[in-house]
Amino acid sequence: MVDWFGISRVVGEPGVLPQRAQKLDASLPLREGELLIDVERLNIDAASFKQLKAQCGGDAKALAGAVEAIVAERGKMQNLVTHSGGMLVGKIREVNAKHPQFSTLQVGQRIATLVSLTLTPLAIRRINAVKLDIDRVDIEGHAILFPSGIFALLPDDLPETLSLAALDVAGAPALVARYVKPGMTVLMLGAGKSGALCLAQARAAMAGQGELIAADISQSALDSLKQLELCDRSLVIDATAAVATMEKVAALTNGRMADLVINCASVANTEMASVLSCRDGGQVIFFSMATSFTAAALGAEGVGKDVTMVVGNGFVPGHAELTFKLLKENPRLKAFFAERYC
Amino acid sequence: MVDWFGISRVVGEPGVLPQRAQKLDASLPLREGELLIDVERLNIDAASFKQLKAQCGGDAKALAGAVEAIVAERGKMQNLVTHSGGMLVGKIREVNAKHPQFSTLQVGQRIATLVSLTLTPLAIRRINAVKLDIDRVDIEGHAILFPSGIFALLPDDLPETLSLAALDVAGAPALVARYVKPGMTVLMLGAGKSGALCLAQARAAMAGQGELIAADISQSALDSLKQLELCDRSLVIDATAAVATMEKVAALTNGRMADLVINCASVANTEMASVLSCRDGGQVIFFSMATSFTAAALGAEGVGKDVTMVVGNGFVPGHAELTFKLLKENPRLKAFFAERYC
C-alpha cells in the first residue's frame, strides 16, 4: 500500500506524522509513490537561520557543520531550538511509478518543495557554500518527497529568486480566486507580499465589476499598490484598532462594509478589525499566521456578527502555476516583486 | 448615532471595545439602541468561579463580597485573574426605541444574555445568594445590552436549566444547518454536548440520505448517541492520533472519507485528524476552542490537502430558537440533555 504521508519513514515512533517525528529515515531505494530529488540548495526558515547564525557566532563554516550535524542526526533539516524548517530546490532524479504525477514528471526537471523541510527526509553528502545574507545553504545530497508532498516546477521564464519569493505565499491568491466574484467590495488588510498577489488575483476575478480597497498602516506601501493599479481605493489604518478601522471602512463604503475581507496582516490582534469591517452575511479569509482562533470565533459572537470565517489553507491545487501566471501577465507587478522581495 | 458596540460605555479608553476595557459605565438612563435588564442571576464562567472560590477559601459570603467589589470597580463582572465572565438571566425592564428588536420585545420577558459578562455593563444592588455548587450568584441589579448584544428569550415550555445548557453551544447546530446537505457523509469528532446537538441537526438536514458517523474516545458516550439514534455508525478513536483516526475513517467509508468533518472535540491537537479524515474538496468546521489556527492552516498545507476550513462562529441568527426547537422536537434528546447536563 502506498504510504501517502511517509509514516514508514519515521524512525521509532509508530503512527506519528513525519513533521512531529524526532528522526526520519532518508535511505534509498525509493519506496512506492515517492519522488527523489538531487538537492542543490536549502532555503532555511528565517527564524531557524537566525538561531544557527547566533549559535555559530556568524561563522559560515561552523554553521555548515551545525546543519550537517542536524541532518545526520535527524534525517531532516529541522532546527532543534525553533523547530522550523524551510524548503529546498533541486532536480528530479527519480519518480516511483506509483507517484500521483508519474506520467507527467521528467527526470532533470527543477523543482522547489512546497512542504516544509521539517517533514522531508534529507541526506547531505557535502556542503558547498553557506550564504549568510540570504539564509541559504548550497549542498549536494538527496531528499525524498512523499506522494502527498507538494512541490512546484520552477518556470524557465521567471528568475528563480522571484519564483521562490512568490511560492512562499502562493496559497493565498489561489484561495482568493475561489471567493472573489464580480461586483464584490473586497477589503484587503495588509499591503505586503501576499496582499499584492491577492489583490492582483481579485482584480482578475472581479472582471471589472466591484471595488478593491487596500488597507495598511503604511502610506508608502499603499502608494506602491495604487501606482500598480492593484486597488481602487486605499485606507491608512491600524488594524489592531478594530473600531477605528470599521469606521473608516464604513465611511468609504457608505455603511455597506466589505463583502469579503482578506486578512494578510503581519501583526496580531487584527481579527476584530476584519470581522467588524465585513458586512453581515459576508466572508473573512484569514491568511495571517498571527490569527488567533479563539479571538476570531469568540469575537464575532461577542458582537453578534454573522460572517463566514475561513482558515487560509496554504495549499490549493494549482496554486504555484496560478501565482506564476499572475506575475507573468502583470509585468509591473513582476517588476515590483523583483525589486521589493528578491 | 446609535452606538452599536457600546464604545461610549467604556470609561477612559477611547476606541476600545467593551470586552477589552478596564471599566464600563453602567449608569442609567438607557442610551439609544440599548436594552435594560432586571438581573436575577449571574452564571459565572467555570474558570472564574473556581478562582473566586479558591481566593475566598470556599466561603460564600466572602465570594459575594468579591463579586460585589469587582462589579463596583469595573462596572462589569470580569474576573481579574482569569479575565473571563459568564452570562446572566433576567427580565426585560426597558427597550430603547432604537433597539433593533424594539417592535417585538416586551417588558417583563425573561431572557438570557448570549454575550459575555466581560462586555456587559452591570450594577449590583444586593446579592441574595451564592450557589457554590453550580457557579451561580443570585442578585438584584441591572445590566445593559448594546444593540449588537445578542440574547435569547427563555421558552416557557423548557426547564430553565435545560435552556441554559443548550444555549451554551447553540451556535454549533445552527452553523451545521448551513453546511449539511442530503447525501453527505458527515463525521462528528466529539460526542459531548455540542456534538449531540450538531448530530441531531445534521440528521434533520440530511433528510434521510447520507451517513452520520460519530467518533469519540469514549465508547459509552458513543453508545448513548447510538441509543438516541443520533448517528448511523460510531468509531472509538483518539483524535490526537491523526493517522490512526484517518485509517479508521478510511476503513469505515471504503476510502471515500467524510464530505464534512465537524470538530467538537474538547482537547487540543485534533486539527490533523479532522483534515486527514476529510475527502479532498471537502469541508471541516472547527468548533473546538482548543483549535490552533496555525496547526490547521500549516497542517493542511503540509499534507497537500485541499479542504475548506471554517472557524465556528458562535453566532448565527436564530441559533437559540433553532436549538430550542431541536430539543422540543426530540423528546429523547431532551431527556438525555436533562439527565446529562442539568
Side-chain angles (χ1 to χ4, degrees):
Chain A
M1 197 177 120
V2 172
D3 177 13
W4 200 256
F5 303 110
I7 294 156
S8 74
R9 290 279 183 186
V10 171
V11 178
E13 295 172 280
V16 167
L17 283 166
Q19 188 153 35
R20 286 174 68 178
Q22 268 308 303
K23 184 170 182 171
L24 303 181
D25 171 9
S27 68
L28 298 179
L30 218 51
R31 301 177 189 173
E32 279 196 346
E34 292 180 340
L35 181 74
L36 181 63
I37 306 164
D38 273 329
V39 183
E40 297 170 8
R41 61 187 62 159
L42 307 174
N43 287 70
I44 309 284
D45 166 75
S48 170
F49 204 80
K50 191 175 167 188
Q51 187 277 326
L52 289 169
K53 263 203 289 199
Q55 177 190 317
C56 302
D59 180 65
K61 203 163 172 185
L63 199 150
V67 169
E68 273 188 309
I70 289 173
V71 176
E73 169 64 28
R74 305 196 67 176
K76 60 176 174 175
M77 180 53 213
Q78 181 169 23
N79 188 296
L80 302 175
V81 178
T82 65
H83 307 295
S84 55
M87 45 83 74
L88 64 82
V89 172
K91 286 204 176 92
I92 295 177
R93 196 210 299 179
E94 186 186 335
V95 188
N96 178 274
K98 297 214 169 157
H99 187 278
Q101 288 167 261
F102 173 73
S103 61
T104 57
L105 292 176
Q106 287 159 31
V107 170
Q109 283 179 313
R110 292 195 80 226
I111 66 172
T113 57
L114 298 176
V115 287
S116 171
L117 288 177
T118 59
L119 58 85
T120 306
L122 175 68
I124 295 180
R125 278 195 308 278
R126 59 171 286 175
I127 292 191
N128 289 327
V130 173
K131 312 274 186 177
L132 286 176
D133 51 332
I134 53 170
D135 304 359
R136 206 176 89 186
V137 181
D138 294 348
I139 70 159
E140 288 168 32
H142 75 259
I144 294 164
L145 276 191
F146 311 128
S148 65
I150 54 176
F151 60 90
L153 294 172
L154 289 171
D156 298 328
D157 49 355
L158 282 178
E160 184 175 307
T161 50
L162 187 65
S163 297
L164 296 181
L167 284 175
D168 196 26
V169 293
L175 198 59
V176 162
R178 291 186 177 172
Y179 284 85
V180 174
K181 309 281 177 234
M184 276 187 170
T185 296
V186 177
L187 173 67
M188 170 68 53
L189 292 181
K193 189 161 75 166
S194 57
L197 281 175
C198 286
L199 283 168
Q201 179 57 47
R203 174 75 83 200
M206 285 164 77
Q209 297 165 56
E211 189 161 49
L212 273 176
I213 305 168
D216 197 280
I217 202 164
S218 157
Q219 178 72 61
S220 73
L222 291 169
D223 289 345
S224 299
L225 295 185
K226 274 209 122 172
Q227 274 174 14
L228 295 168
E229 293 172 29
L230 287 178
C231 61
D232 302 310
R233 317 280 291 268
S234 66
L235 274 180
V236 176
I237 52 115
D238 171 1
T240 66
V243 177
T245 299
M246 172 190 74
E247 286 170 349
K248 287 188 180 182
V249 173
L252 200 68
T253 60
N254 295 318
R256 288 178 292 105
M257 313 308 287
D259 299 301
L260 174 67
V261 177
I262 303 169
N263 184 319
C264 291
S266 53
V267 296
N269 294 317
T270 63
E271 298 86 358
M272 284 311 289
S274 310
V275 166
L276 293 180
S277 298
C278 188
R279 70 166 168 82
D280 259 301
Q283 300 168 312
V284 179
I285 311 177
F286 290 104
F287 287 112
S288 168
M289 282 299 141
T291 303
S292 154
F293 181 87
T294 46
L298 297 178
E301 179 176 13
V303 296
K305 191 92 182 205
D306 178 24
V307 289
T308 298
M309 296 180 284
V310 174
V311 177
N313 184 345
F315 173 67
V316 174
H319 62 338
E321 296 71 19
L322 176 140
T323 303
F324 292 148
K325 188 161 169 279
L326 264 183
L327 288 170
K328 289 181 200 172
E329 290 177 352
N330 271 285
R332 290 169 65 195
L333 176 64
K334 181 177 153 188
F336 170 75
F337 241 73
E339 185 197 321
R340 182 70 62 99
Y341 301 111
C342 295
Chain B
M1 198 176 120
V2 173
D3 177 14
W4 200 256
F5 303 110
I7 294 156
S8 75
R9 290 279 182 186
V10 171
V11 178
E13 295 171 279
V16 167
L17 284 166
Q19 189 154 32
R20 286 174 68 179
Q22 267 309 304
K23 184 170 182 170
L24 302 181
D25 171 9
S27 68
L28 299 178
L30 219 50
R31 301 179 189 172
E32 281 197 344
E34 292 180 340
L35 182 73
L36 182 63
I37 307 164
D38 272 330
V39 182
E40 297 170 8
R41 61 187 61 157
L42 307 175
N43 287 71
I44 308 284
D45 165 76
S48 172
F49 204 79
K50 190 174 168 190
Q51 187 277 325
L52 289 169
K53 262 202 291 197
Q55 177 190 315
C56 302
D59 180 63
K61 202 164 174 186
L63 198 149
V67 169
E68 273 188 309
I70 289 173
V71 176
E73 168 65 28
R74 305 197 67 175
K76 58 176 176 176
M77 182 51 212
Q78 181 169 24
N79 187 296
L80 301 175
V81 178
T82 67
H83 308 294
S84 54
M87 44 83 75
L88 64 82
V89 171
K91 286 203 176 92
I92 295 176
R93 195 209 300 178
E94 186 187 336
V95 187
N96 178 274
K98 297 215 169 157
H99 188 277
Q101 288 166 260
F102 173 73
S103 61
T104 57
L105 292 176
Q106 287 158 32
V107 169
Q109 285 181 311
R110 293 195 80 228
I111 65 172
T113 56
L114 298 176
V115 288
S116 172
L117 289 177
T118 59
L119 58 87
T120 306
L122 175 69
I124 295 179
R125 277 194 309 279
R126 59 171 286 176
I127 292 190
N128 290 327
V130 172
K131 312 272 188 180
L132 286 175
D133 52 332
I134 53 169
D135 304 359
R136 206 176 89 184
V137 181
D138 294 349
I139 70 160
E140 288 168 32
H142 75 259
I144 294 165
L145 276 191
F146 311 126
S148 65
I150 55 177
F151 61 91
L153 294 172
L154 289 171
D156 299 328
D157 50 355
L158 282 178
E160 184 176 307
T161 50
L162 187 66
S163 297
L164 295 181
L167 283 175
D168 195 28
V169 293
L175 198 59
V176 162
R178 292 187 177 171
Y179 284 86
V180 173
K181 308 283 176 234
M184 275 187 171
T185 296
V186 176
L187 173 67
M188 171 68 55
L189 292 181
K193 189 161 73 165
S194 58
L197 281 175
C198 286
L199 283 168
Q201 179 55 47
R203 174 74 82 201
M206 284 164 76
Q209 296 164 57
E211 189 162 48
L212 272 176
I213 306 168
D216 198 279
I217 202 163
S218 157
Q219 178 73 61
S220 73
L222 290 169
D223 289 345
S224 300
L225 295 185
K226 274 209 124 172
Q227 274 174 14
L228 295 168
E229 294 173 30
L230 287 177
C231 61
D232 302 308
R233 316 281 288 273
S234 66
L235 273 180
V236 176
I237 52 115
D238 172 1
T240 66
V243 176
T245 301
M246 171 189 76
E247 286 170 350
K248 287 188 181 179
V249 174
L252 200 69
T253 60
N254 294 318
R256 287 178 293 104
M257 312 309 286
D259 298 301
L260 174 66
V261 177
I262 303 170
N263 185 319
C264 290
S266 54
V267 296
N269 293 317
T270 63
E271 298 86 359
M272 284 311 287
S274 310
V275 166
L276 292 181
S277 298
C278 188
R279 70 164 168 81
D280 258 299
Q283 298 168 312
V284 179
I285 310 177
F286 291 103
F287 288 111
S288 168
M289 282 300 143
T291 303
S292 154
F293 181 88
T294 47
L298 297 178
E301 180 177 11
V303 296
K305 192 92 180 204
D306 178 22
V307 290
T308 298
M309 296 180 284
V310 175
V311 178
N313 185 346
F315 173 68
V316 174
H319 61 339
E321 296 72 18
L322 177 141
T323 303
F324 293 147
K325 187 161 171 276
L326 265 182
L327 288 170
K328 290 181 200 171
E329 292 177 351
N330 274 284
R332 291 169 65 196
L333 176 64
K334 183 177 152 187
F336 169 74
F337 240 72
E339 186 197 319
R340 182 70 61 99
Y341 301 111
C342 294

